[in-house]
Coordinates of all heavy atoms in Angstrom, one line a residue:
V89 N -7.7 0.2 -0.1 CA -7.6 -0.3 1.2 C -8.4 -1.5 1.4 O -9.6 -1.5 1.1 CB -8.1 0.8 2.2 CG1 -8.0 0.3 3.7 CG2 -7.4 2.1 2.1
I90 N -7.8 -2.6 1.8 CA -8.4 -3.9 2.0 C -8.6 -4.2 3.4 O -7.6 -4.2 4.2 CB -7.5 -5.0 1.3 CG1 -7.0 -4.6 -0.1 CG2 -8.2 -6.4 1.4 CD1 -8.1 -4.5 -1.1
D91 N -9.8 -4.5 3.8 CA -10.1 -4.8 5.2 C -10.3 -6.3 5.4 O -11.0 -6.9 4.5 CB -11.4 -4.0 5.6 CG -11.7 -4.1 7.0 OD1 -12.0 -5.2 7.6 OD2 -11.8 -3.0 7.7
H92 N -9.7 -6.8 6.4 CA -9.8 -8.3 6.6 C -11.2 -8.8 6.7 O -11.6 -9.8 6.2 CB -9.1 -8.6 7.9 CG -9.0 -10.1 8.2 ND1 -10.0 -10.8 8.9 CD2 -8.1 -11.0 7.9 CE1 -9.7 -12.1 8.9 NE2 -8.5 -12.2 8.4
D93 N -12.1 -8.0 7.4 CA -13.5 -8.5 7.7 C -14.5 -8.0 6.7 O -15.7 -8.1 7.0 CB -13.9 -8.1 9.1 CG -13.0 -8.8 10.1 OD1 -12.5 -9.9 9.8 OD2 -12.7 -8.2 11.2
D94 N -14.2 -7.4 5.6 CA -15.1 -6.8 4.7 C -14.9 -7.4 3.3 O -13.7 -7.5 2.9 CB -15.0 -5.3 4.7 CG -16.3 -4.6 4.2 OD1 -16.9 -5.1 3.2 OD2 -16.7 -3.7 4.8
E95 N -15.9 -7.7 2.6 CA -15.8 -8.1 1.2 C -15.6 -7.0 0.2 O -15.3 -7.3 -1.0 CB -17.1 -9.0 0.8 CG -17.1 -10.3 1.5 CD -15.9 -11.2 1.3 OE1 -15.4 -11.3 0.2 OE2 -15.3 -11.6 2.3
E96 N -15.8 -5.8 0.6 CA -15.6 -4.6 -0.2 C -14.3 -3.9 0.2 O -13.9 -3.8 1.4 CB -16.7 -3.7 -0.2 CG -18.0 -4.2 -0.8 CD -19.1 -3.2 -0.9 OE1 -19.4 -2.6 0.1 OE2 -19.6 -3.0 -2.1
A97 N -13.6 -3.4 -0.8 CA -12.4 -2.6 -0.6 C -12.7 -1.1 -0.8 O -13.6 -0.8 -1.6 CB -11.3 -3.0 -1.5
I98 N -12.0 -0.2 -0.2 CA -12.1 1.2 -0.5 C -11.1 1.5 -1.6 O -9.9 1.2 -1.4 CB -11.7 2.1 0.8 CG1 -12.7 1.7 1.9 CG2 -11.8 3.5 0.4 CD1 -12.3 2.4 3.2
V99 N -11.5 2.0 -2.7 CA -10.7 2.4 -3.8 C -10.7 3.9 -4.0 O -11.8 4.5 -4.1 CB -11.1 1.7 -5.1 CG1 -10.2 2.1 -6.3 CG2 -11.2 0.2 -4.9
C100 N -9.5 4.5 -4.0 CA -9.4 5.9 -4.1 C -8.6 6.3 -5.3 O -7.6 5.6 -5.6 CB -8.8 6.5 -2.9 SG -9.8 6.2 -1.4
S101 N -9.0 7.4 -6.0 CA -8.3 7.8 -7.2 C -8.3 9.3 -7.3 O -9.4 9.9 -7.0 CB -8.9 7.1 -8.4 OG -8.3 7.5 -9.6
A102 N -7.2 9.9 -7.7 CA -7.2 11.3 -8.0 C -6.3 11.6 -9.2 O -5.4 10.9 -9.5 CB -6.5 12.1 -6.8
E103 N -6.7 12.6 -10.0 CA -6.0 12.9 -11.2 C -4.8 13.8 -10.9 O -5.0 14.8 -10.2 CB -6.9 13.6 -12.3 CG -6.2 13.7 -13.6 CD -7.2 14.1 -14.7 OE1 -8.4 14.1 -14.5 OE2 -6.7 14.4 -15.8
L104 N -3.7 13.5 -11.5 CA -2.5 14.3 -11.3 C -2.2 15.2 -12.5 O -2.3 14.7 -13.6 CB -1.3 13.3 -11.1 CG 0.1 13.9 -10.9 CD1 0.1 14.6 -9.5 CD2 1.1 12.9 -10.9
M105 N -2.0 16.5 -12.2 CA -1.7 17.4 -13.3 C -0.2 17.7 -13.2 O 0.4 17.9 -12.1 CB -2.5 18.7 -13.2 CG -3.9 18.6 -13.6 SD -5.0 17.7 -12.5 CE -5.1 18.8 -11.1
R106 N 0.5 17.8 -14.4 CA 1.9 18.1 -14.5 C 2.1 19.4 -15.3 O 1.3 19.7 -16.2 CB 2.6 17.0 -15.1 CG 2.6 15.7 -14.2 CD 3.5 14.6 -14.9 NE 3.5 13.4 -14.1 CZ 4.4 13.1 -13.1 NH1 5.3 14.0 -12.8 NH2 4.3 12.0 -12.5
D107 N 3.2 20.1 -15.0 CA 3.5 21.3 -15.8 C 4.3 20.8 -17.1 O 4.5 19.6 -17.3 CB 4.3 22.3 -15.0 CG 5.7 21.8 -14.5 OD1 6.2 20.8 -15.0 OD2 6.3 22.5 -13.6
L108 N 4.8 21.8 -17.9 CA 5.5 21.5 -19.1 C 6.8 20.8 -18.9 O 7.3 20.1 -19.8 CB 5.7 22.8 -19.9 CG 4.4 23.5 -20.4 CD1 4.8 24.8 -21.1 CD2 3.7 22.6 -21.3
E109 N 7.4 20.9 -17.7 CA 8.6 20.2 -17.4 C 8.3 18.9 -16.6 O 9.2 18.3 -16.1 CB 9.5 21.1 -16.5 CG 10.0 22.3 -17.3 CD 10.5 23.4 -16.4 OE1 10.5 23.3 -15.2 OE2 10.9 24.5 -17.0
D110 N 7.1 18.4 -16.7 CA 6.7 17.1 -16.1 C 6.7 17.1 -14.6 O 6.7 16.0 -14.1 CB 7.5 16.0 -16.8 CG 6.7 14.7 -16.8 OD1 5.5 14.7 -17.0 OD2 7.4 13.6 -16.7
R111 N 6.7 18.2 -14.0 CA 6.6 18.2 -12.5 C 5.1 18.2 -12.0 O 4.3 18.9 -12.6 CB 7.3 19.4 -11.9 CG 8.8 19.4 -12.2 CD 9.4 20.6 -11.5 NE 8.8 21.8 -12.2 CZ 9.5 22.9 -12.6 NH1 10.8 22.9 -12.5 NH2 8.8 23.9 -13.1
P112 N 4.8 17.5 -11.0 CA 3.4 17.5 -10.5 C 3.1 18.9 -9.9 O 3.9 19.5 -9.2 CB 3.4 16.5 -9.3 CG 4.6 15.6 -9.6 CD 5.6 16.5 -10.3
V113 N 2.0 19.4 -10.4 CA 1.6 20.8 -10.0 C 0.1 20.8 -9.4 O -0.3 21.8 -8.8 CB 1.7 21.8 -11.1 CG1 3.1 22.0 -11.5 CG2 0.8 21.4 -12.3
G114 N -0.6 19.7 -9.6 CA -2.0 19.7 -9.1 C -2.5 18.3 -8.9 O -2.1 17.4 -9.6
L115 N -3.4 18.1 -8.0 CA -4.0 16.8 -7.7 C -5.5 17.1 -7.3 O -5.7 17.9 -6.4 CB -3.3 16.1 -6.6 CG -3.6 14.7 -6.3 CD1 -3.2 13.8 -7.5 CD2 -2.8 14.2 -5.1
T116 N -6.4 16.4 -8.1 CA -7.8 16.6 -7.7 C -8.0 15.9 -6.3 O -7.1 15.2 -5.8 CB -8.7 15.9 -8.8 OG1 -8.4 14.5 -8.8 CG2 -8.5 16.5 -10.1
E117 N -9.2 16.1 -5.8 CA -9.5 15.4 -4.6 C -9.6 13.9 -4.9 O -10.0 13.5 -6.0 CB -10.9 15.9 -4.0 CG -10.8 17.3 -3.5 CD -9.9 17.5 -2.3 OE1 -9.8 16.6 -1.4 OE2 -9.1 18.5 -2.3
F118 N -9.3 13.1 -3.9 CA -9.4 11.6 -4.1 C -10.9 11.3 -4.0 O -11.6 11.6 -3.1 CB -8.6 10.9 -3.0 CG -7.2 10.7 -3.3 CD1 -6.3 11.7 -2.9 CD2 -6.7 9.7 -4.0 CE1 -4.9 11.6 -3.2 CE2 -5.3 9.5 -4.3 CZ -4.5 10.5 -3.9
E119 N -11.3 10.6 -5.1 CA -12.7 10.1 -5.1 C -12.7 8.7 -4.5 O -11.8 7.8 -4.9 CB -13.2 10.0 -6.6 CG -13.4 11.4 -7.2 CD -14.0 11.3 -8.6 OE1 -14.7 10.3 -8.9 OE2 -13.7 12.2 -9.3
K120 N -13.6 8.4 -3.6 CA -13.6 7.2 -2.9 C -14.8 6.4 -3.4 O -15.9 6.9 -3.4 CB -13.7 7.4 -1.4 CG -13.7 6.2 -0.5 CD -13.6 6.5 0.9 CE -14.9 6.9 1.5 NZ -14.9 7.0 3.0
T121 N -14.6 5.1 -3.8 CA -15.6 4.2 -4.1 C -15.4 2.9 -3.4 O -14.3 2.6 -2.9 CB -15.7 4.0 -5.7 OG1 -14.5 3.4 -6.1 CG2 -16.0 5.3 -6.4
L122 N -16.4 2.0 -3.4 CA -16.3 0.7 -2.9 C -16.3 -0.3 -4.1 O -17.0 -0.1 -5.1 CB -17.4 0.4 -1.9 CG -17.4 1.2 -0.7 CD1 -18.6 0.8 0.2 CD2 -16.2 1.0 0.2
A123 N -15.4 -1.3 -4.0 CA -15.4 -2.4 -5.0 C -15.2 -3.7 -4.3 O -14.6 -3.8 -3.2 CB -14.2 -2.1 -5.9
P124 N -15.7 -4.8 -4.9 CA -15.5 -6.1 -4.3 C -14.0 -6.4 -4.1 O -13.2 -6.2 -5.0 CB -16.1 -7.1 -5.3 CG -17.1 -6.2 -6.1 CD -16.5 -4.8 -6.2
K125 N -13.6 -6.8 -3.0 CA -12.2 -7.1 -2.6 C -11.6 -8.1 -3.6 O -10.4 -7.9 -4.0 CB -12.1 -7.6 -1.2 CG -10.8 -7.9 -0.7 CD -10.7 -8.1 0.8 CE -11.6 -9.1 1.4 NZ -11.4 -9.3 2.9
R126 N -12.4 -9.0 -4.1 CA -11.9 -10.0 -5.1 C -11.5 -9.4 -6.4 O -10.7 -10.1 -7.2 CB -12.9 -11.2 -5.2 CG -14.2 -10.7 -5.8 CD -15.2 -11.9 -6.0 NE -16.5 -11.5 -6.2 CZ -17.0 -10.7 -7.1 NH1 -16.2 -10.3 -8.1 NH2 -18.3 -10.3 -7.2
T127 N -11.9 -8.2 -6.7 CA -11.6 -7.6 -8.0 C -10.3 -6.8 -7.9 O -9.8 -6.3 -9.0 CB -12.7 -6.7 -8.5 OG1 -12.9 -5.6 -7.6 CG2 -14.0 -7.4 -8.6
I128 N -9.7 -6.7 -6.7 CA -8.5 -5.9 -6.6 C -7.3 -6.8 -6.8 O -7.2 -7.9 -6.2 CB -8.4 -5.3 -5.2 CG1 -9.7 -4.4 -4.8 CG2 -7.1 -4.4 -5.0 CD1 -9.9 -3.3 -5.8
F129 N -6.4 -6.5 -7.7 CA -5.3 -7.3 -8.0 C -4.5 -7.9 -6.8 O -4.1 -9.0 -6.8 CB -4.3 -6.5 -8.9 CG -3.0 -7.2 -9.3 CD1 -3.0 -8.3 -10.1 CD2 -1.8 -6.8 -8.7 CE1 -1.8 -9.0 -10.4 CE2 -0.7 -7.5 -9.0 CZ -0.7 -8.5 -9.9
F130 N -4.3 -7.1 -5.8 CA -3.6 -7.5 -4.6 C -4.5 -7.7 -3.4 O -4.1 -7.6 -2.3 CB -2.5 -6.5 -4.3 CG -3.0 -5.1 -4.2 CD1 -3.5 -4.6 -3.0 CD2 -3.0 -4.3 -5.3 CE1 -4.0 -3.4 -2.9 CE2 -3.5 -3.0 -5.2 CZ -4.0 -2.5 -4.0
G131 N -5.8 -8.0 -3.7 CA -6.8 -8.1 -2.6 C -6.8 -9.4 -1.8 O -7.5 -9.5 -0.9
G132 N -5.9 -10.3 -2.2 CA -5.9 -11.6 -1.5 C -4.8 -11.8 -0.5 O -4.5 -13.0 -0.2
L133 N -4.2 -10.8 0.0 CA -3.1 -11.0 0.9 C -3.4 -11.5 2.3 O -2.5 -11.9 3.0 CB -2.3 -9.6 1.1 CG -1.7 -9.0 -0.2 CD1 -0.9 -7.8 0.1 CD2 -0.9 -10.0 -1.0
F134 N -4.7 -11.6 2.6 CA -5.2 -12.2 3.8 C -5.3 -13.7 3.7 O -5.4 -14.4 4.7 CB -6.5 -11.7 4.3 CG -6.4 -10.3 4.9 CD1 -7.1 -9.2 4.3 CD2 -5.6 -10.0 6.0 CE1 -7.0 -7.9 4.8 CE2 -5.6 -8.7 6.5 CZ -6.2 -7.7 5.9

Side-chain angles (χ1 to χ4, degrees):
V89 179
I90 312 295
D91 190 297
H92 184 275
D93 296 330
D94 202 314
E95 290 304 311
E96 291 189 306
I98 301 170
V99 179
C100 298
S101 180
E103 189 168 352
L104 180 68
M105 284 74 69
R106 294 183 179 270
D107 65 13
L108 295 175
E109 294 165 359
D110 209 32
R111 293 181 301 227
V113 293
L115 189 64
T116 63
E117 290 299 316
F118 277 89
E119 292 183 26
K120 182 171 84 170
T121 59
L122 295 178
K125 183 166 47 176
R126 62 180 160 62
T127 64
I128 307 299
F129 174 71
F130 52 86
L133 300 185
F134 286 118

